[in-house]
Amino acid sequence: MDALKHFVELIMTPSAPVFIIGGLIVLLVPILMHLWVTKSTTYTVLPSVLLTGPSGAGKTSLHTLLERRGSPSETHTSQTWSAVELAVSEDDGASSFRDDLDAGGKTASKFLLVDTPGHGKLRHYAHGRLTLEGTQSTRLKAVVFVVDAAALAEPDVLADTASYLYDVLLALQRRIGNTSTSKAPYAIPLLIAANKTDLFTALPAKLVRTSLERELGRIRRTRSKGLLDSGADASGDMAAGGDDADDWLGEYGSAEFKFDQMREFDTEVDVISGNITGDGPGVDAWWSWIGSRITAWQGDRKHAKN
Ligand code: GDP
C-alpha cells in the first residue's frame, strides 16, 4: 500500500522525468495506434473497380444488375459513392455475373465495385480515387467508364462524355508522373462500356472509339490553346513547358489523340458494346473484362510471392 502511495506521489509531483515520460506517452500512443491500424487494414481492403461516366449513361443500372445478379429492379439516383462486394471465379475468371460462387463452392476473388455519381458537382468523388494515393489506398485495379452509345451522336452528349473522360484519363496519366512516394504506380486499364446497344441509334464500338478520340483531341487542342492564351508560355522557362505537358493528354505534341497513346502511362483502353436493359449482347463481355483484370492481378500477386 505504501508503495502505491509513493508511486502516486511521485507521478503527481512535477518533475522532469514525469514530464518527459508523460509527453512520450501522449506523442507515441497515437502514432503506434495509427501504425497498428493501417498495418492490419492493408490485408482487409479488397481490390476495387471504379464505375464512372456521365449522368444517364447507366452506371446505377449496371451496379444494381451486378449486385442482384441479374434480377431486374428500379434504379435510384446516386448522390454519393456506393460500393458492392462482388466475386469472380479464380479458376478461369470466366464465371457469369449470375453465378453465386459461394453456393457453388468455387474459389472466388472478391473485389469492390464502386459506383460514383456522374453529375457535374459530384464528380470529385471519382477524382479523389484516381490520384496516386487514392488508387493505392483503395487498391484500384480497373476503371469502367460507362457511356450512352445511343446518344453519343448528339454533339452535347459527346462533348460532355468526352470532357469527363478527358479528366479521368488525365488523372490516370498524372498518377504515373507523380512518383514522389516510395510505392511505384501499377497499370490501371480502362474499359469504355458502350451501353444501350439495344437501341437502334446506338453507335457500334468502333465508332464510339473514333468519335471519342476525335472529341478528346479537340478538347486537348482547346485546353492547350487556353494555356497559350493565358500567357503560361510567355516566361519561356522549363516550368511553363512542364505545366503544358502536365495538362496534355497522351503523347505530347502529337497531332491526333489515340487511346493507344495511354499505353505509355500504363493505361490500356478497350471499348466494348453492351446493354443492361432490352435485347442485345448484355453485360457478359464487360463482366469477363472485369473478371480477367481482377484474376490477372491476383495471378501476378501469387507469382510475386513465389
Ligand atoms: P446513371 O446516371 O449513369 O447512373 O444512369 P442510370 O443507371 O440511372 O440510367 C439512366 C437511364 O438509362 C435509366 O432510365 C435506365 O433505365 C436507362 N438505361 C440504362 N441501361 C440501359 C440500356 O442498356 N438500354 C436502355 N434502353 N436503357 C438503359
Side-chain angles (χ1 to χ4, degrees):
M1 203 55 204
D2 261 5
L4 182 69
K5 204 174 147 208
H6 184 71
F7 177 70
V8 171
E9 256 170 25
L10 184 76
I11 60 168
M12 297 305 275
T13 319
S15 71
V18 167
F19 277 124
I20 292 169
I21 293 168
L24 280 179
I25 291 174
V26 168
L27 285 176
L28 287 180
V29 166
I31 294 173
L32 291 176
M33 285 284 282
H34 172 80
L35 288 179
W36 181 67
V37 169
T38 47
K39 194 162 187 278
S40 55
T41 49
T42 43
Y43 295 101
T44 52
V45 175
L46 288 175
S48 68
V49 172
L50 184 69
L51 191 58
T52 186
S55 196
K59 296 178 297 301
T60 316
S61 311
L62 179 59
H63 190 255
T64 316
L65 179 85
L66 296 178
E67 183 178 18
R68 308 201 173 187
R69 284 202 293 271
S71 322
S73 71
E74 290 289 304
T75 83
H76 58 95
T77 307
S78 32
Q79 288 297 325
T80 59
W81 65 274
S82 57
V84 53
E85 190 179 307
L86 300 171
V88 286
S89 166
E90 256 179 42
D91 306 335
D92 47 9
S95 54
S96 162
F97 71 97
R98 292 190 178 80
D99 293 349
D100 183 347
L101 295 172
D102 283 342
K106 291 187 186 170
T107 38
S109 296
K110 288 190 175 160
F111 67 97
L112 286 178
L113 183 72
V114 181
D115 187 12
T116 56
H119 188 269
K121 282 186 189 137
L122 300 166
R123 285 179 182 179
H124 60 270
Y125 281 103
H127 214 263
R129 290 179 168 264
L130 292 171
T131 60
L132 183 62
E133 290 74 24
T135 52
Q136 286 174 344
S137 66
T138 61
R139 291 175 68 197
L140 186 70
K141 297 297 160 226
V143 177
V144 176
F145 190 93
V146 186
V147 307
D148 181 347
L152 212 58
E154 297 166 24
D156 53 334
V157 174
L158 179 61
D160 182 52
T161 305
S163 95
Y164 192 9
L165 182 57
Y166 194 96
D167 291 338
V168 169
L169 289 174
L170 194 61
L172 288 173
Q173 173 175 321
R174 283 192 176 141
R175 188 181 66 93
I176 300 293
N178 179 6
T179 45
S180 51
T181 61
S182 55
K183 280 191 191 169
Y186 50 85
I188 298 184
L190 182 136
L191 169 68
I192 296 177
N195 190 26
K196 310 199 187 179
T197 307
D198 55 303
L199 301 177
F200 78 96
T201 51
L203 303 182
K206 217 171 168 182
L207 211 52
V208 168
R209 174 182 269 271
T210 51
S211 311
L212 285 171
E213 281 177 336
R214 206 177 315 119
E215 187 66 17
L216 288 166
R218 206 188 55 73
I219 294 173
R220 187 168 78 169
R221 276 193 299 281
T222 318
R223 292 201 187 178
S224 65
K225 190 167 173 298
L227 283 175
L228 297 180
D229 288 350
S230 67
D233 67 331
S235 58
D237 58 21
M238 291 299 286
D243 283 345
D244 258 11
D246 222 32
D247 285 329
W248 182 276
L249 185 68
E251 186 191 333
Y252 190 54
S254 54
E256 285 180 17
F257 175 79
K258 297 278 174 224
F259 285 122
D260 288 351
Q261 294 171 9
M262 293 306 296
R263 286 205 186 127
E264 196 190 321
F265 307 102
D266 267 352
T267 291
E268 192 88 32
V269 180
D270 291 305
V271 185
I272 304 176
S273 296
N275 61 295
I276 300 158
T277 59
D279 293 331
V283 303
D284 291 342
W286 299 339
W287 179 251
S288 46
W289 186 93
I290 296 172
S292 65
R293 295 318 179 273
I294 292 289
T295 49
W297 171 80
Q298 298 277 11
D300 284 355
R301 200 173 57 146
K302 276 184 196 148
H303 194 70
K305 269 191 191 162
N306 294 335

